[in-house]
Amino acid sequence: MKKEMSGLNKTGKVQQMKLEKSQNLHQRALEIIPGGTNTNSKRVETFLSPKFFPTYIERGEGAYVWDLDGNRYIDYVASLAPINIGYNIKRINDKIRQQLEKGILFSLPSSSEVELAEVLIEKIPGAEMVRFLKTGAEVTSAAVRLARVVTGKDMILSCDYHGWHDWWSAKIGASGIPQCFQELITDFPFNDFETLEKLVQQHDGNVACIIMTAASYGIEPKNDFLQKVRKLADEKGILLIFDEIITGFRWALGGAQEKYDVIPDLAAFGKGMANGMPISALVGKKEYMSKITETFVTSTFASEAVSIAASLETIRILEEENVMRRLYEITDKLREGLRQISESHQIGINLFDPTPVVKFEIDLEIENSRETASIEFMKYCTENGLLIRRYGTEFSLCPMASHSDEDIEVSLEVFDKALKYAKEKSN
Ligand SMILES: Cc1ncc(COP(=O)(O)O)c(C=O)c1O
């Protein structure tokens, strides 16, 4: 398997891999697509410079992807987390093909949307009613609007990212959004109940919802944080919304609400529910969900049948093949391997909490810069066939059930050499 991975070198030094086609296409794209791609987090600059990183992927199979120049990688980005099973899964492809033969989108609703809604209600603890849309941003936006309908209040208390729409982007000061939106959202840090409590007091009587991820990348709730937030929301008549776009169908089939046994009023699911096909779902308590018809939430493509067919089969596979257990097994193995590598090189690796996304940071500096050390580590990994995600000095590995034990072994071998390589540069 190793031989197929182009870029794998025997000298232990980073070699410049061939990225010619990728780089040429990137230049063409920059002329016609602002930023060169349509998903900000897939921009080559968010990983490394185009000199060291592929800019476009040609195809995927199981846990592997191939770039335009034919380099193969073990993929730990998982398309930003929707791919929980793996790429090009036959069972899902067959269902997609079968649905294509019948049609993609119809003039009236189709029976499969009722079927999928029933499945979600059975699998997600807090789901009593369901509405489908296409993206995470759409369902979190629908949840916030519904909370305003239910409570008659305006203010949003938010923790973490929830999508590109005005109500959330105002919080990060994105341009093009009227000032008034900024006054309607305030951020609170995960696991900081005191701050949240103060914010509720400060905006007393005008809070529509608390919208939050129930577990962040690599960070689990601590000190009964979720239970305390649930109680506070109940006492103050505020709707509690869990953003399960990442945690849904990954932390547990029914999301973080199932894993931590705290039931929100509304929840937003997306990414993992169809292994890459575009579909998202707003779910929640009937008394609140039923009010969605009092406002205006709709989309032409909301009941598109191919994604629904893919989602039905994805959920069957997730359950039958106990995919979530495999995801935890993989992350445990990666974490344990990284711990051993850290010990053998006597370089600290901060591993964060044991969630189904491995997040880590390396305690190493090159030219007095941790970021430079992280870039060198990442370059080595890429050159040796691993696609991983980096935010400054933090790395994340998003496992897919298709990662085999051998893939994990190969990956750990690369991490080991990458750390040695970066350590040598630091001296
Ligand atoms: C927690 C969370 N919420 C919402 C979103 C937005 O989802 P989408 O990109 O499908 O609109 C994301 C996307 O990364 C996310 O991670």
Side-chain angles (χ1 to χ4, degrees):
M1 187 189 70
K2 287 184 201 172
K3 273 187 209 133
E4 289 175 33
M5 281 197 288
S6 110
L8 191 83
N9 70 68
K10 296 186 174 60
T11 61
K13 302 268 182 254
V14 169
Q15 300 167 349
Q16 183 67 52
M17 64 204 284
K18 272 202 210 118
L19 291 170
E20 205 182 322
K21 288 185 186 162
S22 237
Q23 287 162 352
N24 288 343
L25 190 66
H26 188 227
Q27 286 310 313
R28 266 168 62 197
L30 286 174
E31 294 296 319
I32 50 170
I33 302 174
T37 178
N38 299 289
T39 306
N40 285 0
S41 302
K42 292 184 187 173
R43 273 189 203 156
V44 65
E45 294 80 9
T46 66
F47 296 88
L48 281 176
S49 92
K51 196 173 163 211
F52 299 107
F53 208 79
T55 53
Y56 295 90
I57 296 293
E58 184 73 358
R59 70 184 178 95
E61 179 80 45
Y64 312 125
V65 290
W66 284 259
D67 69 16
L68 281 191
D69 293 275
N71 302 305
R72 193 191 76 166
Y73 307 88
I74 302 176
D75 183 358
Y76 288 102
V77 182
S79 292
L80 309 174
I83 313 293
N84 291 359
I85 302 171
Y87 294 99
N88 201 6
I89 301 299
K90 185 175 181 314
R91 273 181 65 177
I92 302 173
N93 290 353
D94 286 347
K95 292 291 174 187
I96 288 174
R97 275 189 213 102
Q98 282 167 22
Q99 186 58 49
L100 282 174
E101 298 290 323
K102 294 194 223 166
I104 299 167
L105 189 66
F106 304 107
S107 310
L108 296 175
S110 60
S111 58
S112 61
E113 65 189 273
V114 182
E115 193 188 337
L116 182 58
E118 284 170 347
V119 169
L120 295 192
I121 288 165
E122 191 193 317
K123 309 295 179 201
I124 301 170
E128 293 172 5
M129 288 186 103
V130 180
R131 277 293 286 267
F132 296 117
L133 284 159
K134 281 285 156 209
T135 66
E138 280 183 291
V139 276
T140 55
S141 300
V144 165
R145 185 174 296 176
L146 185 52
R148 286 174 167 157
V149 170
V150 169
T151 59
K153 314 280 169 59
D154 289 335
M155 192 69 200
I156 304 160
L157 303 184
S158 159
C159 172
D160 269 342
Y161 174 65
H162 305 298
W164 74 275
H165 289 318
D166 284 2
W167 67 269
W168 189 85
S169 307
K171 195 179 69 67
I172 53 164
S175 52
I177 300 168
Q179 176 72 25
C180 56
F181 281 87
Q182 282 191 25
E183 285 147 29
L184 296 175
I185 183 162
T186 295
D187 207 25
F188 65 95
F190 192 69
N191 273 333
D192 185 349
F193 183 68
E194 234 170 71
T195 298
L196 176 64
E197 223 176 4
K198 277 190 198 138
L199 286 172
V200 168
Q201 257 169 22
Q202 201 178 314
H203 297 281
D204 200 17
N206 194 31
V207 181
C209 62
I210 295 168
I211 179 164
M212 59 186 289
T213 50
S216 277
Y217 267 86
I219 304 179
E220 289 207 284
K222 305 233 158 57
N223 305 323
D224 293 332
F225 181 58
L226 299 180
Q227 287 80 357
K228 287 180 192 162
V229 176
R230 176 68 277 181
K231 188 162 172 276
L232 179 68
D234 285 341
E235 284 166 4
K236 298 288 183 183
I238 297 168
L239 255 62
L240 176 60
I241 304 166
F242 279 174
D243 177 338
E244 298 253 29
I245 300 295
I246 298 271
T247 51
F249 305 100
R250 179 167 281 275
W251 261 237
L253 196 63
Q257 58 189 273
E258 179 187 326
K259 175 156 193 217
Y260 304 117
D261 194 20
V262 174
I263 309 301
D265 298 305
L266 300 172
F269 283 76
K271 299 213 187 213
M273 68 183 278
N275 201 53
M277 289 295 280
I279 182 165
S280 58
L282 173 65
V283 307
K285 294 183 179 158
K286 196 170 201 163
E287 63 177 305
Y288 305 134
M289 286 293 294
S290 57
K291 291 196 187 317
I292 206 164
T293 51
E294 291 175 22
T295 178
F296 193 63
V297 174
T298 184
S299 168
T300 304
F301 297 113
S303 52
E304 171 267 304
V306 180
S307 297
I308 290 178
S311 183
L312 283 164
E313 191 61 10
T314 297
I315 295 170
R316 258 179 235 125
I317 297 175
L318 290 173
E319 204 167 21
E320 283 170 20
E321 299 187 10
N322 210 340
V323 164
M324 266 65 59
R325 195 178 62 201
R326 178 68 190 150
L327 297 181
Y328 281 100
E329 259 171 34
I330 296 169
T331 48
D332 284 351
K333 281 184 188 188
L334 286 168
R335 254 187 222 99
E336 183 47 34
L338 285 165
R339 209 169 282 126
Q340 286 174 14
I341 290 167
S342 155
E343 270 172 31
S344 79
H345 293 286
Q346 301 201 318
I347 292 173
I349 296 185
N350 176 12
L351 273 164
F352 296 82
D353 292 336
T355 68
V357 177
V358 178
K359 192 166 137 184
F360 66 98
E361 244 177 341
I362 297 166
D363 189 11
L364 190 70
E365 290 185 354
I366 296 177
E367 291 160 7
N368 296 323
S369 161
R370 255 190 179 211
E371 176 139 17
T372 306
S374 305
I375 288 171
E376 291 301 326
F377 178 86
M378 173 106 175
K379 266 192 218 164
Y380 190 97
C381 292
T382 311
E383 291 284 336
N384 289 282
L386 302 188
L387 214 58
I388 62 179
R389 222 174 152 190
R390 178 179 69 89
Y391 321 75
T393 59
E394 283 178 15
F395 296 99
S396 75
L397 309 174
C398 195
M400 303 180 277
S402 296
H403 284 123
S404 66
D405 287 349
E406 196 193 347
D407 294 329
I408 297 165
E409 250 173 62
V410 170
S411 307
L412 288 169
E413 213 178 289
V414 174
F415 290 140
D416 184 47
K417 289 186 178 149
L419 195 61
K420 183 165 176 269
Y421 169 79
K423 188 181 172 185
E424 278 166 11
K425 287 213 144 194
S426 76
N427 294 331

